Amino acid sequence: MSDIGRNDPCPCGSGKKYKRCCLAKDAPAPGAWTTGERDSALASLMRFARRAELDGDRAAAEVTFWGKRLEGMTPAEAREAMDFEQSRVGFHEWLVFDCPLHGGGTIVERFLARAGGGLRSGERRYLERMRLSHLRPYEVQAVRRDEGLDLLDLWANKRVRVCERLATRQLVQWDILAARVILGPEGNPVLDGSPYLYPPRGKELILRFLRRLGRSLRGKLPRADEATFFKSIGMAFHDLWLELVARRPPPTLMTAERDEVVLCRAVFDVHDRAALEAALANHPELEHEDDGSYAWLAEKADEAGFRRGFGTFVFQKRRLVLETVSRQRAERGRALLEAAAGSAVAYRATRSESVQRALERPARRARPEDDVPPEAAAEIVQAFYERHYRAWLDEPLPALDGRTPREAANLKSARPKVIALLKDMENLSARERLEGRPAYDFGWMWGQLGLERSG
């Protein structure tokens, strides 16, 4: 990366020119620090923060950081919220680098004033850099494995390229972060501290929340001083993390008919196998599969030639089982079967199970004959994804107010929602790829919808 010019925006994200921020007279002098110096500086700073003279400031900080969030919680819920590792780390970072003390300044500034003379030069330089840091929101635009990240500063709408190694093995495209970006030991922007990671769908909520805070603090802070603004609201990023990640309830999955997804098995006793087979084979909504089951499909195909699936009828000894994903489909399937097969079957019972409970149930140990080679499994998954997402473009979606993605992409007012959906799907796919699972490439879809693949 080229050297930073004096009049360029400062890479630390303050919104000021480099010469008036990290190159200014009161900023740390250029120079490197080692990993050991960074770690020892942080250890000394945290020991200083535990001094008895700061007990009152720490107690006040806990109320500021936790107070409103803990209101309405039971004691058990409050303990659980405060016990998250991210919460503990986030609190202590905010406490030493951002939280204002009763007598003015921050803990890191008081530590440097009192003990800075006894620090090694690298330790002092590192703490001076972190003294200027603050959390701010970023979107991951690209991940360069073992090299760094291309980030979009969501507040300033500016791009910044950071040098980073470890995070490139944990983050994927379109992740949303609240992170500290500082000038590293070699003068390039780097990530430091413990960032908060949010899902892509949280982007607009986070920005709306931050803008609302900005309006509420207008007149109380110096104009255009972004660093002071973000330092003053640092605890808000933790609140957002609790709401969007740690304490977020599992999403309610819905079928295309907008019914809750529930795993259902409707069981029928078979009285006349031959008559039942004939009824199934002649029904326009049922298609015989190679394994002997019958796929229950929409009677008519869509424009792409795809027939939506509603469930599967499977023979099990003297019974027929309908496997589907909603109670409403189970009822419709029962009506379809009884109308087609008559007295050849007799309804027995329907069992249902939530998706969450099914995921929590121990997996059945696979038999050797059940194993599918990874290459074959990947091909099956890719074929399914290809059929599904080619049809998805012309599927009316509740998230798009009943419009299809293709229709919504042509409307200026609805286009941001389509982009958000694509980013969310790409983010999930990238994380599956990172974890070594088969993942789908959505690259073609941007062009199909006439959308720019950018932030």
Side-chain angles (χ1 to χ4, degrees):
M1 195 174 89
S2 58
D3 293 336
I4 303 164
R6 290 171 54 82
N7 291 311
D8 290 340
C10 188
C12 79
S14 66
K16 300 178 182 179
K17 291 183 178 180
Y18 179 48
K19 67 182 180 183
R20 298 189 182 280
C21 188
C22 288
L23 193 64
K25 292 180 181 179
D26 61 342
W33 57 81
T34 66
T35 301
E37 287 173 327
R38 173 191 179 279
D39 294 345
S40 61
L42 283 173
S44 298
L45 175 62
M46 293 302 174
R47 284 196 298 272
F48 181 84
R50 292 194 293 270
R51 286 190 175 187
E53 66 184 87
L54 295 172
D55 284 351
D57 285 295
R58 280 199 310 276
E62 287 180 357
V63 172
T64 301
F65 192 83
W66 293 107
K68 291 183 179 179
R69 172 55 62 182
L70 300 184
E71 287 178 5
M73 287 188 188
T74 65
E77 289 173 333
R79 285 194 299 273
E80 180 187 356
M82 297 177 71
D83 197 42
F84 288 119
E85 176 68 18
Q86 178 72 62
S87 294
R88 293 197 299 272
V89 173
F91 169 73
H92 285 105
E93 282 187 7
W94 172 79
L95 172 68
V96 297
F97 294 121
D98 301 329
C99 181
L101 297 176
H102 220 50
T106 58
I107 288 180
V108 67
E109 289 170 343
R110 188 171 295 184
F111 175 67
L112 286 168
R114 290 193 189 177
L119 297 173
R120 289 178 286 175
S121 59
E123 293 173 326
R124 184 177 181 90
R125 278 194 291 266
Y126 169 73
L127 291 179
E128 288 283 7
R129 292 289 186 198
M130 288 298 286
R131 176 180 69 85
L132 300 170
S133 73
H134 57 271
L135 289 168
R136 61 192 293 133
Y138 297 95
E139 181 181 66
V140 177
Q141 300 280 292
V143 177
R144 292 170 283 111
R145 182 81 171 208
D146 291 329
E147 293 182 16
L149 304 166
D150 294 341
L151 304 177
L152 176 67
D153 181 333
L154 293 175
W155 187 259
N157 196 30
K158 294 179 181 177
R159 295 177 182 271
V160 57
R161 173 170 283 203
V162 300
C163 298
E164 176 63 38
R165 186 188 66 80
L166 183 60
T168 65
R169 296 175 176 267
Q170 300 169 335
L171 300 175
V172 296
Q173 188 181 37
W174 309 131
D175 276 342
I176 304 297
L177 303 175
R180 297 176 188 269
V181 175
I182 67 171
L183 286 179
E186 298 181 10
N188 294 323
V190 298
L191 287 182
D192 208 299
S194 180
Y196 293 102
L197 174 63
Y198 310 100
R201 62 181 176 273
K203 174 181 171 180
E204 291 306 318
L205 185 150
I206 291 169
L207 288 176
R208 285 198 304 272
F209 183 67
L210 294 179
R211 292 185 191 112
R212 189 163 65 247
L213 284 177
R215 289 192 295 271
S216 70
L217 293 174
R218 192 175 295 158
K220 300 178 183 178
L221 299 174
R223 290 189 65 184
D225 189 347
E226 292 181 1
T228 301
F229 167 64
F230 280 113
K231 276 185 172 291
S232 70
I233 65 159
M235 75 293 292
F237 290 107
H238 174 256
D239 287 351
L240 288 164
W241 179 79
L242 283 178
E243 180 177 343
L244 293 172
V245 181
R247 298 185 61 81
R248 183 181 178 88
T252 300
L253 301 177
M254 310 290 285
T255 66
E257 299 87 11
R258 305 194 72 172
D259 299 319
E260 182 181 359
V261 170
V262 179
L263 306 182
C264 292
R265 288 168 54 87
V267 181
F268 302 83
D269 290 326
V270 177
H271 296 316
D272 188 334
R273 176 70 177 253
L276 176 58
E277 288 270 19
L280 297 178
N282 292 319
H283 199 286
E285 294 182 40
L286 301 177
E287 188 172 289
H288 190 250
E289 301 291 331
D290 292 340
D291 62 359
S293 65
Y294 284 82
W296 174 24
L297 307 172
E299 187 171 358
K300 295 181 180 179
D302 59 21
E303 294 178 0
F306 180 77
R307 296 173 67 191
R308 183 192 299 170
F310 299 118
T312 305
F313 288 94
V314 182
F315 283 101
Q316 294 182 357
K317 296 183 179 179
R318 296 182 180 179
R319 289 178 180 170
L320 182 71
V321 178
L322 167 60
E323 298 176 343
T324 187
V325 292
S326 76
R327 294 186 180 91
Q328 292 80 0
R329 288 186 182 181
E331 286 299 315
R332 285 172 50 207
R334 174 186 174 183
L336 178 150
L337 182 64
E338 290 177 338
S343 60
V345 295
Y347 172 72
R348 188 177 186 89
T350 298
R351 294 181 180 178
S352 61
E353 183 179 36
S354 70
V355 175
Q356 184 64 31
R357 183 161 184 175
L359 291 173
E360 292 170 353
R361 185 163 26 85
R364 178 179 65 86
R365 185 182 296 275
R367 295 171 299 177
E369 58 268 29
D370 292 335
D371 290 343
V372 178
E375 299 80 6
E379 287 182 11
I380 293 170
V381 170
Q382 288 300 322
F384 170 79
Y385 281 156
E386 188 69 17
R387 288 196 308 272
H388 174 75
Y389 286 113
R390 292 287 174 180
W392 181 84
L393 293 181
D394 299 295
E395 191 82 33
L397 301 178
L400 300 176
D401 301 318
R403 299 185 183 93
T404 70
R406 202 184 301 276
E407 291 169 341
N410 289 321
L411 296 174
K412 186 177 181 180
S413 59
R415 200 171 298 138
K417 291 184 179 180
V418 183
I419 292 173
L421 281 175
L422 280 179
K423 286 185 175 181
D424 205 31
M425 293 189 300
E426 283 201 318
N427 180 262
L428 290 172
S429 183
R431 197 155 294 286
E432 288 175 342
R433 194 175 294 112
L434 187 69
E435 294 169 359
R437 290 181 285 157
Y440 188 67
D441 184 356
F442 292 90
W444 63 273
M445 197 177 285
W446 296 85
Q448 277 278 315
L449 295 175
L451 299 173
E452 290 289 330
R453 199 160 181 255
S454 64

